[in-house]
Amino acid sequence: MNKHLFIVLVLLSGLFIIGLGSVTALKFRSNDNMLSQMALSNGFIYPTPKALPSFALTKQDGSLFTNADLKGRWSLFFIGYTSCPDVCPTTMAKLSAAYPELRKSADIQIIFLSVDPQRDNREKLLNYMNFFNPEFIALTGDHKQLFPLTRSLGFVYAMVGEGENYQVDHSASMALISPEGENIAIIKPKSSSAGTLPQISSQALISDIAWITQKHQR
């Protein structure tokens, strides 16, 4: 065989093996991600973690809360407003009940992000957290910061109506932020049967977060 032809064939074989290895690796990663999703009841793990925009929001005690406060521990975000008649109090009560079990699987902070800064002042946020769980964190800020942050968390919200009694339509999902400060999963309400309202059961929330946080540590 011609020496040059032999070298070309060897190089082509090497490239083929490398390409086959890459395809196999991608297939394994895809299968691993699929198995992870199947193991979750209400959660969805993003294939690639999502960075959050820089923010500086106000806590219920008046201190600042920034991206740096997300580092080193898990954070579970939920958006709403203290005047919310249904979704918010129901979700906050559920989070409060599940909190002891959530803490067993991970060092986690629960963050209520108010998207109604006009009405939700520090006093209201403080009273709201004290009613449900004083260990929870309440944050708010102007809409310039809230809009990009909520989008990066996978949430949407909009003011509905006019006057003092306006409502705020908002997502009922939760976003799980890793100790690196990145959005890695979303937990969405799900209907248990046709005609029922979507919701996140306490047990599904606990088991999904335990699964995600343990998988992240591997």
Side-chain angles (χ1 to χ4, degrees), residues 2-205:
N2 184 282
K3 181 179 179 181
H4 293 297
L5 179 59
F6 176 75
I7 293 173
V8 170
L9 289 174
V10 169
L11 289 173
L12 288 174
S13 298
L15 289 172
F16 175 77
I17 292 171
I18 292 171
L20 185 62
S22 299
V23 170
T24 303
L26 286 172
K27 184 177 179 181
F28 277 125
R29 282 198 293 271
S30 177
N31 288 341
D32 182 60
N33 188 55
M34 187 180 298
L35 289 172
S36 295
Q37 308 302 352
M38 290 173 62
L40 300 174
S41 299
N42 292 79
F44 176 83
I45 301 174
Y46 295 116
T48 303
K50 299 183 177 184
L52 300 181
S54 296
F55 62 83
L57 300 173
T58 304
K59 289 175 62 175
Q60 71 263 37
D61 62 4
S63 62
L64 281 181
F65 188 97
T66 69
N67 301 73
D69 294 295
L70 300 176
K71 300 295 180 70
R73 64 188 307 193
W74 291 90
S75 304
L76 185 65
F77 272 87
F78 170 71
I79 69 167
Y81 62 116
T82 63
S83 304
C84 178
D86 40 38
V87 175
C88 295
T90 300
T91 303
M92 292 297 291
K94 190 171 296 185
L95 284 169
S96 185
Y99 187 57
E101 290 298 318
L102 294 175
R103 289 295 303 272
K104 289 180 181 179
S105 61
D107 179 14
I108 191 168
Q109 56 187 351
I110 308 298
I111 301 174
F112 173 77
L113 181 60
S114 170
V115 290
D116 186 13
Q118 182 175 333
R119 293 181 295 193
D120 284 348
N121 54 34
R122 282 173 45 193
E123 183 180 359
K124 277 190 176 181
L125 292 175
L126 181 61
N127 290 336
Y128 203 65
M129 292 303 101
N130 285 341
F131 178 79
F132 287 105
N133 194 317
E135 292 186 32
F136 289 0
I137 295 170
L139 302 175
T140 196
D142 57 45
H143 292 295
K144 282 186 188 178
Q145 292 197 81
L146 291 174
F147 275 128
L149 178 57
T150 52
R151 281 199 301 269
S152 66
L153 291 170
F155 303 146
V156 294
Y157 73 93
M159 277 43 186
V160 179
E162 299 178 357
E164 296 181 357
N165 296 320
Y166 64 87
Q167 301 292 309
V168 184
D169 284 348
H170 60 88
S171 301
S173 303
M174 302 178 196
L176 186 61
I177 311 303
S178 72
E180 292 76 36
E182 298 176 316
N183 185 9
I184 69 164
I186 190 164
I187 300 173
K188 295 184 175 183
K190 184 185 294 184
S191 295
S192 56
S193 59
T196 61
L197 290 174
Q199 60 177 325
I200 302 171
S201 73
S202 296
Q203 190 52 52
L205 176 65

